[in-house]
Amino acid sequence: MKSLKQRNFTDTAARWVIKLGGAATVFVILALFVFIFLEVYPLLQSATVTKEDTYSVHGPVMSVGENDRQEVAYVLYNNGTVEFISLHSGATLKRYQVAIPTNSVITSVDKDRNRLVLGTSDGKIFTISITFSESFEGDRRTVIPEVSDECWTPLDNQKGGIHGVTSRGDDSTTVTAVYTTDNHVVLIASEIEKTLLGDGDKKEIQKDITGLFMKQSLNQPPLPILHPSQKENTDERAEGVPETVQAADNPSGILTEEKSATEITSLTLDLFMENLYAGTSSGELFHINVSDRENPFLVETVKVSESAVTALGFLLGDVSLVVGDASGGVHVWMQVRDTMSSSGWALKKVHTLASHGAPVVKIDASQRDKGFVTAATDGTIHLNHATSEQTLLKLTSAAQASTLSFSPKANGIMIADAKEHLLQWHITNPHPETTLKTLFGRVWYEGYEKPEYVWQSTGGTDDFEPKLSLTPLIFGTIKGTIYALIIAVPIGIFAALYTSQFLHNSLKIIKPVIEIMAALPSVILGFLAGLWLAPLMERIFPAIIIMPFFILLSIVLAIFCWKTLPVFGKGWYRHGIEAIFLIPFIVGAIYISIRLGGGYEALFLEGDYREWLSHFLGLQYDQRNALVVGIAMGFAVIPLIFTISEDAMSNVPNSLKSASLALGATPWQTAVRVVLPTASPGIFSAVMIGFGRAVGETMIVLMATGNTPIMDWNLFTGFRALSANIAVEIPEAPHGGTLYRVLFLASLLLFVTTFIVNTVAETVRQRMKLRYSKL
């Protein structure tokens, strides 16, 4: 009686322990899923406004800006007054007067980092610098705004005022381009020629390049690109006008004002001070090469809009050019390699953003990423991101923005409108680069000839454009898994079939030996694959090509010897050890293949198998490639598939096998037609477990593939898998940053994929078990 109570208590306790263990397992899995999802969820959130402030200004505003922490703003009025305003209290902290003539006003402003270039109504160019420094008194921090005049430059022989200005400069060189109210374009350059003893003479150039903007009939072919080195007798021609243009449109060689009727509406110059872009009222974009300041030349003219080009601006890095037009359109263009172009490059539209309902008048780019802000005449302001092609935020002001500023940390937008209001929006925009398209689709990145799937999370410069497509990583995961299973599944299943059905009982110690292989750390396998197997396969690759043929031939030869030599038919051997007889034949075949590999390469592969693969098959051979990973990862997966499959086959009822043999079936027929179908649920489970092992494998893939995130089914190139990418990138990913959360998204994909595959596999296994249990 006491024993019965003890058993009941033990059974009850065991039942509750099992239930609690199962519930705890489910809870841990759900908790893990929730944790990963919460790390990924911010990627789905768009930009939001956290705070909005309004301040009063005292006249037409030409430029605004603020310090890094959005504490102090400057306002530049058209009369040359610079006013600094506290964004906490709205009080005026300081005023500064730029020394412009009293009878003129500022008509145009261009920002070049801390430098402001001002164009005036009387044709003068002023340059000032606005900086913010900090001082500390105990725990109190004070922001000190400062303005410094650098220089002013008059325009030579120009009677009109300045309508637009663009300028870039560094320590030794400054290049400025202006277009005037009488429709002239002037290039101004100042350069200090450095010598071995230090700074040398200062060289200044002013050149009217209006002739490069001559109108051309749309029925005429494009103007040929004439580099100054190709021109002769330049003194006899109009400055900056290609020879073919003068010959066709102006036989006299004298450029008249009527011939340069193109109306320039906007200008911008890149930070390299080499490429000047000019938009026109007819929707054309002129690209002028100004690297040779004395002889600039027209590179190309592109029709970018059906309406006037009203605003131009470069994104961070000055590779992508944002074009705004009078119809409200916002497009991003960049130079792309083009074999059809005589220069090898052509300007192409790569991104299209949401349109405004009115002409775009202002563009300001982020100093941190490929984001930018646009403003239109109807008072709408859009926060855009070029790479993801999304408009993240749409704001509205009561009047047209006369100027705007995107804060240095890309967390605020400031505008001054026509009603003398200064508006500031504090925004949060943590992950503008991520959309379904950027994560899984083709994106046209800077420097690429077409949209592509690319993973490249870091670069060598601050203006790097993150490329976070998970598609190459998913592709690499699938590629590595397929090649591993191609090797592991047949070997594991057939080895299990032979061990369970044909191998002599005295030799079944092989099974625990193979099971011990599963305990080998994957880092050891990856180390051996990357540092020993990969170089070895590279060295004997021609032998590997012919090795299957010689192995097959050796097996045929072994079978022939087994059948024909009388000594093997007298029963001295034990049934089930025939495979041992194959070993010396296979070893001999491998040895012969290695010895003949060099001759085979010389005879049939033109002496260099890499060149032969590249020339005849178009395949590249990398030392660390998918074949190496397939072998190494297959070696790791084989023990799992073998062990589970062998158990499933060994548990097939003997009655079924005996019945098959009694009906006249051979042992091989019984194994294939009775044992395999009956054990198929277990074999299927073995393959699915092997699949999960291959999908989640990290160290072998990390050490043996080269980690190149490319999309190529070539067996001889590497790849990068999701798991290996997480291991490589997560130590360097800033906590909470876009890369950090995208890596968690990769782990979520692995988690969900494994869960779905295992669920489907279990469902299929149960159906197969139900079907074959009736046998």
Side-chain angles (χ1 to χ4, degrees), residues 456-502:
Q456 187 183 359
S457 60
T458 57
T461 60
D462 292 336
D463 56 21
F464 170 74
E465 182 179 26
K467 305 166 183 65
L468 301 176
S469 175
L470 293 175
T471 304
L473 309 181
I474 296 172
F475 179 90
T477 303
I478 295 172
K479 179 180 178 180
T481 301
I482 289 176
Y483 286 142
L485 293 181
I486 286 175
I487 293 174
V489 170
I491 294 177
I493 293 176
F494 285 116
L497 181 65
Y498 179 79
T499 302
S500 64
Q501 304 301 315
F502 300 101

Side-chain angles (χ1 to χ4, degrees), residues 434-759:
T434 54
T435 61
L436 286 177
K437 181 179 180 180
T438 57
L439 292 173
F440 301 103
R442 297 179 186 271
V443 177
W444 201 332
Y445 296 105
E446 291 181 350
Y448 285 73
E449 298 180 16
K450 61 181 187 295
E452 293 186 14
Y453 302 107
V454 183
W455 174 274
Q456 187 183 359
S457 60
T458 57
T461 60
D462 292 336
D463 56 21
F464 170 74
E465 182 179 26
K467 305 166 183 65
L468 301 176
S469 175
L470 293 175
T471 304
L473 309 181
I474 296 172
F475 179 90
T477 303
I478 295 172
K479 179 180 178 180
T481 301
I482 289 176
Y483 286 142
L485 293 181
I486 286 175
I487 293 174
V489 170
I491 294 177
I493 293 176
F494 285 116
L497 181 65
Y498 179 79
T499 302
S500 64
Q501 304 301 315
F502 300 101
L503 189 64
H504 194 276
N505 289 333
S506 63
L507 296 178
K508 288 196 175 181
I509 192 176
I510 291 175
K511 181 182 178 183
V513 172
I514 295 177
E515 289 173 346
I516 291 174
M517 290 167 48
L520 284 175
S522 59
V523 66
I524 300 298
L525 296 176
F527 177 82
L528 293 174
L531 299 183
W532 172 74
L533 181 61
L536 176 64
M537 290 181 60
E538 183 183 34
R539 189 166 61 252
I540 65 168
F541 183 76
I544 295 175
I545 296 177
I546 61 176
M547 200 174 288
F549 170 76
F550 283 101
I551 290 177
L552 182 62
L553 188 63
S554 70
I555 293 173
V556 173
L557 181 61
I559 295 173
F560 177 78
C561 293
W562 181 266
K563 293 292 185 181
T564 57
L565 294 180
V567 68
F568 297 113
K570 296 181 178 179
W572 63 270
Y573 66 93
R574 289 179 295 180
H575 176 72
I577 65 170
E578 299 91 342
I580 298 177
F581 182 74
L582 283 173
I583 294 177
F585 286 88
I586 294 176
V587 171
I590 293 174
Y591 176 77
I592 292 172
S593 300
I594 293 174
R595 298 292 296 178
L596 296 179
Y600 174 78
E601 182 179 23
L603 274 175
F604 298 100
L605 304 180
E606 299 183 347
D608 189 338
Y609 71 87
R610 290 184 188 82
E611 289 294 330
W612 187 86
L613 286 173
S614 177
H615 185 264
F616 288 95
L617 301 181
L619 299 177
Q620 176 185 344
Y621 186 92
D622 297 331
Q623 184 187 83
R624 299 185 181 186
N625 53 52
L627 180 59
V628 175
V629 175
I631 294 173
M633 197 150 62
F635 188 83
V637 173
I638 283 173
L640 295 175
I641 297 178
F642 169 83
T643 300
I644 300 173
S645 298
E646 200 277 340
D647 287 340
M649 295 177 193
S650 296
N651 289 326
V652 173
N654 287 328
S655 58
L656 293 177
K657 294 186 283 186
S658 299
S660 175
L661 294 172
L663 290 173
T666 65
W668 177 251
Q669 290 174 325
T670 300
V672 172
R673 299 183 182 182
V674 176
V675 175
L676 278 180
T678 306
S680 59
I683 295 172
F684 183 77
S685 296
V687 173
M688 288 298 100
I689 291 175
F691 173 84
R693 172 77 161 83
V695 167
E697 177 55 51
T698 301
M699 295 310 299
I700 295 176
V701 178
L702 181 65
M703 302 176 73
T705 62
N707 280 310
T708 50
I710 57 176
M711 298 181 63
D712 185 359
W713 285 111
N714 181 4
L715 188 62
F716 310 121
T717 57
F719 57 88
R720 178 179 285 195
L722 285 167
S723 55
N725 187 69
I726 295 171
V728 170
E729 302 273 3
I730 199 68
E732 305 297 331
H735 183 270
T738 301
L739 174 60
Y740 177 85
R741 300 196 185 281
V742 170
L743 293 176
F744 268 92
L745 176 60
S747 66
L748 182 64
L749 289 176
L750 286 174
F751 185 92
V752 172
T753 301
T754 304
F755 179 81
I756 292 174
V757 169
N758 288 342
T759 302

Side-chain angles (χ1 to χ4, degrees), residues 21-34 751:
T25 301
V26 173
F27 175 77
V28 169
I29 293 174
L30 289 176
L32 181 62
F33 174 81
V34 171
F751 185 92

